[in-house]
């Protein structure tokens, strides 16, 4: 068992209830145009999910794996708009159980399932045979993995020929006056420390890992080109992070401050990826 993976699981024992209280069932950035139009974080998140479902080509009867499914918001919404069957996975049983409850509440208990996998199981996805899935999706979860390349290799293995890998993730980048690795590290190290992330990749770094896994990358883009990536949580604390009073609230406040500083410096961003397994 990896120490980093174990720390991530332990982190979500506390972070899971906090995130759910602050963000509801949708825990990822949304479509930029939707955010700029003033839509809520949940609305913008659903717009992005619908775009990725379309990119994945999912339809009724298809099967998909949603890696790092949290409390199930994105997984259930993707199932609802596509008609596909989804299995969401995380390494934290509290998250999986909340996701199961949410799926039942939304009427998707038969179409969507959630499983808790071992801390290191992302490296192989050995519970799934070769070529069994039409799509693998992820939303801001691969960033928590120390061996991201292993996950992409495992995802490529379980995809059918013609199957698609689609997702979004936290990344770092040069921006403005912050160009060197040391300058970027100054802002990103505190984010990694407080939010249990071993290291942040880049758009091109993810592209290379996905290509090295044997997939053909159709899209690898910065979702916030040329602008600071505030998403739907602007600096005035739109979702109430500093007012949160649950367990270890000071930890989450420090994480929010670190993330806001990296956003303001421009070196934090989110990337979007679409790739296909050759037929």
């Amino acid at each position: 068992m990896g120490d980093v993976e174990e720390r991530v699981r332990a982190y979500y024992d506390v972070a899971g209830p906090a995130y759910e209280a602050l963000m509801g069932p949708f825990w990822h950035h949304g479509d930029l145009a939707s955010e700029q139009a003033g839509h809520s974080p949940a609305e913008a998140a659903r717009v992005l999910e619908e775009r990725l479902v379309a990119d994945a080509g999912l339809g009724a009867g298809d099967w998909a794996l949603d890696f790092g499914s949290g409390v199930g918001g994105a997984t259930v919404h993707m199932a609802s708009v596509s008609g596909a069957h989804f299995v969401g996975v995380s390494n934290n049983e509290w998250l999986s159980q909340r996701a199961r409850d949410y799926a039942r509440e939304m009427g998707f208990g038969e179409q969507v399932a959630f499983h808790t996998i071992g801390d290191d199981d992302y490296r192989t996805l050995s519970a799934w045979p070769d070529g069994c899935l039409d799509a693998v999706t992820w939303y801001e979860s691969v960033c928590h993995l120390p061996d991201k390349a292993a996950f992409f290799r495992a995802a490529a293995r379980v995809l059918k020929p013609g199957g698609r890998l689609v997702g979004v993730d936290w990344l770092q980048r040069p921006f403005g006056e912050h160009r060197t690795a040391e300058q970027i590290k100054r802002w990103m190290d505190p984010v990694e420390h407080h939010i249990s992330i071993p290291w942040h990749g880049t758009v091109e770094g993810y592209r290379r890992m996905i290509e090295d896994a044997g997939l053909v990358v159709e899209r690898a883009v910065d979702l916030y080109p040329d602008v600071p990536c505030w998403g739907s949580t602007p600096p005035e604390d739109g979702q109430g992070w500093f007012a949160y009073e649950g367990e270890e609230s000071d930890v989450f406040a420090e994480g929010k401050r670190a993330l806001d500083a990296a956003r303001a410096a421009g070196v934090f961003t989110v990337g979007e990826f679409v790739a296909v397994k050759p037929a």
Side-chain angles (χ1 to χ4, degrees):
M1 181 185 299
D3 291 341
V4 175
E5 294 89 345
E6 186 177 6
R7 287 199 300 272
V8 171
R9 172 166 46 82
Y11 173 79
Y12 276 101
D13 284 338
V14 178
Y19 287 10
E20 187 177 41
L22 292 162
M23 296 185 287
F26 299 96
W27 291 6
H28 62 85
H29 288 71
D31 175 74
L32 178 59
S34 181
E35 292 172 348
Q36 292 174 333
H39 297 160
S40 72
E43 289 169 334
R46 288 193 291 267
V47 170
L48 178 60
E49 291 160 14
E50 290 165 15
R51 183 169 77 238
L52 290 182
V53 162
D55 288 333
L58 286 169
D62 289 338
W63 284 87
L65 174 72
D66 185 30
F67 178 77
S69 46
V71 291
T75 319
V76 170
H77 185 64
M78 289 190 293
S80 72
V81 299
S82 67
H85 298 276
F86 271 83
V87 178
V89 298
S90 77
N91 71 337
N92 183 288
E93 176 59 19
W94 187 90
L95 296 178
S96 297
Q97 187 57 56
R98 290 296 299 132
R100 294 181 199 116
D101 294 343
Y102 179 73
R104 285 194 295 269
E105 291 167 8
M106 299 300 290
F108 287 88
E110 299 299 317
Q111 188 179 337
V112 182
F114 294 93
H115 296 308
T116 302
I117 61 176
D119 289 345
D120 293 326
D121 288 350
Y122 73 90
R123 299 173 186 266
T124 62
L125 299 177
S126 58
W128 289 268
D130 293 355
C132 67
L133 296 172
D134 297 287
V136 175
T137 65
W138 90 93
Y139 292 87
E140 302 178 13
S141 54
V142 173
C143 58
H144 284 294
L145 306 179
D147 193 350
K148 298 170 176 56
F151 167 74
F152 290 127
R153 291 193 298 269
R157 181 187 65 78
V158 301
L159 285 172
K160 298 176 181 178
R164 289 175 172 266
L165 172 74
V166 300
V168 296
D169 217 352
W170 287 20
L171 303 173
Q172 65 183 37
R173 65 182 180 184
F175 191 91
E177 65 188 54
H178 311 294
R179 313 302 301 181
T180 69
E182 190 62 32
Q183 289 170 330
I184 295 169
K185 179 181 173 67
R186 172 191 171 192
W187 301 105
M188 297 303 292
D189 271 6
V191 177
E192 294 168 357
H193 172 72
H194 289 295
I195 306 181
S196 196
I197 294 172
W199 56 277
H200 284 86
T202 64
V203 169
E204 288 307 311
Y206 270 52
R207 177 195 288 275
R208 287 192 298 271
M209 287 188 288
I210 294 169
E211 289 176 340
D212 288 346
L215 303 179
V216 177
V217 176
E218 295 184 344
R219 184 184 307 147
V221 298
D222 187 335
L223 283 178
Y224 294 82
D226 305 318
V227 297
C229 172
W230 284 103
S232 298
T233 55
E236 58 268 24
D237 189 34
Q239 289 174 287
W241 286 91
F242 297 129
Y244 178 69
E245 296 181 349
E247 184 180 355
E248 296 196 29
S249 58
D250 57 331
V251 173
F252 301 116
E254 287 303 310
K256 178 65 163 60
R257 290 187 185 95
L259 183 56
D260 282 356
R263 291 184 191 275
V267 299
F268 170 87
T269 193
V270 175
E272 178 179 350
F273 304 90
V274 177
V276 61
K277 185 171 181 176

